[in-house]
Amino acid sequence: MNRVRKKTKMVPLPSQSIVPERDVAQKPILEVSRLGINFGGLAAVEDFNIAVGPTEISGIIGPNGAGKTTIFNLLTKVYQPTSGAILLDGKDTANMNTVQINQAGIARTFQNIRLFPSLSVEDNVKIGLHNQIGYGMFSGIFRLPRFFSGERRARERAMELLDIFDMTHLASHRAGSLPYGAQRRLELIRALATNPKLLLLDEPAAGMNPSETEELMNNIEKIRDRFQIAIMLIEHDMRLVMGICEGIAVINYGKIIAKGTPEEIQNNPLVIEAYLGKKKGYQPC
Amino acid sequence: MRSLRLRSNIDNLLTYGLVIIAYIVMRILITSGNISSSLQGQLVPITAYIVMAVSLNLTVGVLGELSLGHAGFMSVGAFSGVITATLLTDTIPMTWLRLALALLIGGLIAGIFGFLIGIPVLRLQGDYLAIVTLAFGEIIKNVMNTIYLGYDANGIRISMESANALQLAEDGKVILNGPMGAIGITKLSTFNAGFVLILITLFIVLNLINSRSGRAIKAVRDDKIAAESVGISSWRYRMMAFVTSATLAGAAGALYALNYTTVVARKFDFNTSILVLVFVVLGGMGNIRGSIIAATVLTVLPEVLRAFNEVRMLVYAVILILVMLVRNNLTLRQLFQKIGIKRRNSLANNKEGDDS
Ligand SMILES: Nc1ncnc2c1ncn2[C@@H]1O[C@H](COP(=O)(O)OP(=O)(O)OP(=O)(O)O)[C@@H](O)[C@H]1O
Ligand SMILES: [Mg+2]
């Protein structure tokens, strides 16, 4: 199937990265160099280098246990890297923790959905808006005017975001009671609510049928176009990866074995041997 | 499905209403003399235990962290409240103001202890808070048993040895007398004061829960990693809930202590912590109204069942275990659900019957 997609402006790539022409020319939103982590001797990620453009959709693929999720956990400081540097929008994130990383502009979803199951859908989104609603504990307890104005703005914004993904009718439902697909969408909305510059999606299409995946692909492109942010995703669904990613990195045993455009990745003999060759079911289209 | 928000508003109004109606009923019973003296003596302790249960629910139910030393904060509040009230006897003749200040200081000091405990513990994941609060309760009890404190015209004296070691002047007065506890307390607490403290507690806890901060506290409870990934500092909101909880427990302690002429540290031991935990578990995690009802019923019940008083703690333990089992047992839960559905169905049937 041939998807017509609006590409971001492509330019030749600088630095040591081997990713082809993309929009990272002037200033990449994310630059990672020599990133690595050891788990008791096992190098789960090693010498990971990547640069991502400010409105680029990029993908990380690789076999199970290759270290893809670990890369996200390193970028968001769930794990502390044992080596390497991460620059977000030119700023070094070495001294930031997970909370500060989000405030600096990286939001993510999780491979195993992590919502706040006992809160309503609306409240889940409002949690994403938390740092944009400016009132504190005192105003909250004493119901000062800032409480009402803050809550009103939060509600409006939450509804706006839910509306983009056709979820307003579910606003008052418990997040934990939603069907699987809606939970995935809510997690994405919650991440988006934090106003990120870079959105990390860990296997967003896992467990989805082809038509749901198709909708997700449209949504991902919609997010990029509408919010003008970079999106990096991990995915096993080759149709999705090849369909919407502009740059792809292939990981095996914690190391990048290839980088390139979808076309290049599909024709790279290393990749075919190490990854695609093993998974005959995933024939890129 | 009705909006969760609307439902929580109605829920809160019901909670306030319940407390106010219960207060009015008790007032009527008192004025008309239709209340036993033993129950009348229980009124202030009941209000203190309600505040204890509601505040512990903030930690256990809303924040989702187990605390086994809530009585430790009650103890800190009790003794600092007594000291405050006694020292202010001459300066502030208005008893209500002295009581209010004692509750305030008792609460603040308990809150500071909560903060100090929280600094190392609330960063950790797991059952550390339960272990550390358990130790805290025991340590406070033992420390209070060894402190002698008195004052005279020259100021306040503290000793760890004996009341005589304080070397007070003729006009001096011993406030804390080691294992004998706080002595010579002027009874300041009243049922009215307890009622007001419950209302203040409800105001703080319910408004906190239903605000931006409370939402963050619940988010941290549901999933700490997810909360941090969207920029919410788990430590900060755990601290907020835990310190608020400790502060209210401190105020409850001061209210409780100022209802007697003497108070010993043993009163605020592990059993009391567990007792309050039982109120919370029985009333339902995160269910504020449930805590109030459970605290009231379970404080009055032993008075009614005096004969079984010796096995009271045993009964509590058994009830706690049973409730845990019921809550975690799928078959039993399904059974309850079935009963619930049946009841709702029969209600619906009745309604249809009425219409036809
Ligand atoms: N906290 C940890 N401690 C020890 N080893 C870990 C830890 N987290 C991940 N690993 C190991 O690191 C390797 C990479 O795991 P990771 O979850 O990143 O794989 P993945 O590429 O996301 O795989 P999948 O496609 O199955 O999600 C695995 O061997 C895993 O066992
Ligand atoms: Mg993974």
Side-chain angles (χ1 to χ4, degrees):
Chain A
M1 182 188 147
N2 236 340
R3 291 177 57 84
V4 191
R5 63 193 152 92
K6 201 168 63 187
K7 288 213 177 190
T8 43
K9 195 171 136 269
M10 294 290 175
V11 285
L13 186 91
S15 84
Q16 82 272 67
S17 179
I18 29 163
V19 187
E21 45 155 27
R22 296 180 328 198
D23 69 339
V24 292
Q26 315 87 345
K27 207 179 166 211
I29 190 74
L30 179 75
E31 280 176 289
V32 180
S33 55
R34 310 200 59 89
L35 190 66
I37 187 169
N38 280 307
F39 290 121
L42 170 83
V45 173
E46 205 181 342
D47 198 21
F48 179 78
N49 301 288
I50 203 166
V52 175
T55 60
E56 183 184 2
I57 299 178
S58 53
I60 297 179
I61 60 173
N64 289 109
K68 306 179 296 295
T69 300
T70 305
I71 291 169
F72 276 14
N73 285 337
L74 290 173
L75 292 178
T76 56
K77 296 295 178 75
V78 174
Y79 299 148
Q80 285 303 322
T82 39
S83 66
I86 303 165
L87 298 186
L88 177 65
D89 209 3
K91 281 192 292 287
D92 189 6
T93 67
N95 296 318
M96 296 184 186
N97 60 28
T98 307
V99 172
Q100 290 159 335
I101 288 284
N102 176 263
Q103 288 163 357
I106 302 183
R108 71 175 291 185
T109 64
F110 296 85
Q111 186 169 348
N112 312 304
I113 307 174
R114 284 175 174 272
L115 289 172
F116 307 117
S118 71
L119 301 188
S120 70
V121 168
E122 184 185 333
D123 277 354
N124 267 267
V125 183
K126 281 181 179 169
I127 290 289
L129 296 166
H130 186 85
N131 289 319
Q132 296 154 59
I133 322 169
Y135 77 88
M137 178 191 183
F138 190 81
S139 309
I141 289 178
F142 292 98
R143 301 278 134 127
L144 302 183
R146 297 181 63 159
F147 164 83
F148 294 101
S149 62
E151 285 298 312
R152 181 161 24 80
R153 265 188 299 119
R155 190 179 158 76
E156 282 165 10
R157 183 80 185 122
M159 286 305 167
E160 234 173 81
L161 286 166
L162 286 171
D163 190 44
I164 298 176
F165 300 90
D166 302 320
M167 283 187 66
T168 35
H169 63 290
L170 297 171
S172 62
H173 286 236
R174 269 181 82 252
S177 71
L178 294 183
Y180 181 83
Q183 291 203 7
R184 281 231 173 264
R185 244 183 305 159
L186 176 57
E187 203 191 20
L188 204 154
I189 298 172
R190 184 186 67 189
L192 206 50
T194 65
N195 223 350
K197 297 169 184 155
L198 170 64
L199 184 59
L200 306 177
L201 307 176
D202 198 344
E203 304 200 10
M208 287 190 173
N209 63 34
S211 78
E212 286 171 330
T213 306
E214 184 69 23
E215 190 193 335
L216 174 69
M217 288 164 78
N218 289 331
N219 277 341
I220 291 174
E221 290 185 326
K222 188 158 88 179
I223 292 169
R224 192 267 306 276
D225 296 342
R226 187 166 175 152
F227 294 86
Q228 290 291 305
I229 58 173
I231 297 170
M232 187 192 264
L233 54 91
I234 294 171
E235 204 25 269
H236 286 297
D237 187 325
M238 286 306 134
R239 209 169 63 85
L240 184 147
V241 175
M242 299 302 165
I244 61 173
C245 292
E246 288 142 0
I248 296 171
V250 188
I251 316 285
N252 203 8
Y253 298 112
K255 283 198 185 118
I256 292 184
I257 57 166
K259 282 190 215 173
T261 60
E263 294 75 25
E264 285 169 323
I265 294 297
Q266 286 170 54
N267 299 322
N268 187 323
L270 264 177
V271 178
I272 293 168
E273 183 196 317
Y275 183 74
L276 298 175
K278 270 195 273 180
K279 306 215 162 195
K280 292 206 178 64
Y282 290 123
Q283 280 310 318
C285 54
Chain B
M1 189 192 206
R2 284 309 284 155
S3 151
L4 290 179
R5 223 162 49 115
L6 183 67
R7 210 158 58 190
S8 89
N9 280 344
I10 295 172
D11 230 42
N12 293 349
L13 286 181
L14 265 175
T15 308
Y16 283 114
L18 174 84
V19 169
I20 292 169
I21 289 169
Y23 170 77
I24 293 172
V25 169
M26 290 318 289
R27 272 278 136 221
I28 293 171
L29 287 179
I30 293 167
T31 16
S32 63
N34 279 325
I35 184 171
S36 74
S37 64
S38 83
L39 183 58
Q40 191 152 7
Q42 286 285 298
L43 287 178
V44 173
I46 288 172
T47 57
Y49 279 127
I50 288 175
V51 174
M52 286 297 288
V54 171
S55 61
L56 184 62
N57 208 337
L58 188 58
T59 297
V60 177
V62 182
L63 177 62
E65 294 281 339
L66 186 56
S67 167
L68 295 176
H70 210 48
F73 297 114
M74 193 184 191
S75 180
V76 169
F79 290 108
S80 42
V82 167
I83 294 169
T84 308
T86 313
L87 291 179
L88 291 175
T89 312
D90 301 326
T91 344
I92 302 175
M94 284 162 291
T95 53
W96 69 267
L97 185 58
R98 222 182 322 144
L99 177 63
L101 282 173
L103 299 194
L104 191 67
I105 301 287
L108 285 180
I109 293 183
I112 291 170
F113 272 85
F115 183 74
L116 294 177
I117 289 175
I119 289 174
V121 179
L122 293 178
R123 285 192 192 282
L124 304 172
Q125 190 71 11
D127 298 327
Y128 295 99
L129 189 68
I131 297 163
V132 172
T133 48
L134 171 68
F136 166 72
E138 289 304 300
I139 291 169
I140 286 294
K141 188 182 73 185
N142 288 312
V143 167
M144 291 318 298
N145 270 335
T146 60
I147 291 186
Y148 298 83
L149 185 146
Y151 76 110
D152 57 20
N154 298 324
I156 303 168
R157 304 263 176 80
I158 299 179
S159 160
M160 302 291 269
E161 279 150 37
S162 70
N164 287 338
L166 293 173
Q167 293 177 318
L168 295 174
E170 281 286 294
D171 64 329
K173 187 173 182 305
V174 176
I175 306 176
L176 301 185
N177 194 8
M180 313 282 285
I183 54 172
I185 306 170
T186 313
K187 199 177 162 205
L188 297 176
S189 297
T190 60
F191 180 44
N192 287 352
F195 171 67
V196 171
L197 185 62
I198 291 177
L199 288 185
I200 292 173
T201 302
L202 284 180
F203 183 81
I204 291 174
V205 171
L206 293 177
N207 282 358
L208 179 65
I209 292 175
N210 296 299
S211 75
R212 169 178 174 269
S213 308
R215 207 159 44 219
I217 292 168
K218 286 181 276 186
V220 170
R221 169 196 64 194
D222 275 13
D223 195 322
K224 171 178 175 274
I225 292 174
E228 290 186 343
S229 85
V230 289
I232 287 175
S233 157
S234 61
W235 182 74
R236 184 184 167 154
Y237 287 99
R238 278 179 175 167
M239 192 61 111
M240 188 182 282
F242 188 61
V243 170
T244 307
S245 171
T247 304
L248 292 171
L255 178 81
Y256 184 91
L258 289 167
N259 186 46
Y260 300 98
T261 47
T262 62
V263 160
V264 292
R266 266 197 320 281
K267 190 66 212 146
F268 313 107
D269 61 359
F270 182 61
N271 282 352
T272 306
S273 291
I274 294 299
L275 185 69
V276 178
L277 188 60
V278 170
F279 299 160
V280 173
V281 173
L282 274 187
M285 298 283 191
N287 182 345
I288 302 299
R289 194 164 58 242
S291 290
I292 296 174
I293 296 169
T296 311
V297 171
L298 290 186
T299 314
V300 175
L301 210 59
E303 288 300 312
V304 180
L305 305 172
R306 272 237 171 255
F308 303 104
N309 218 8
E310 274 165 25
V311 289
R312 200 182 72 173
M313 285 320 292
L314 185 67
V315 173
Y316 278 131
V318 170
I319 291 175
L320 187 61
I321 292 167
L322 283 180
V323 172
M324 297 282 195
L325 283 178
V326 169
R327 276 176 188 276
N328 292 307
N329 188 306
L330 199 66
T331 10
L332 278 175
R333 254 203 336 243
Q334 278 166 348
L335 187 77
F336 281 115
Q337 241 158 24
K338 247 186 226 154
I339 297 168
I341 287 163
K342 253 186 207 149
R343 215 181 47 207
R344 223 168 292 145
N345 282 347
S346 66
L347 277 180
N349 290 342
N350 284 346
K351 217 175 177 183
E352 274 169 21
D354 286 346
D355 284 343
S356 61

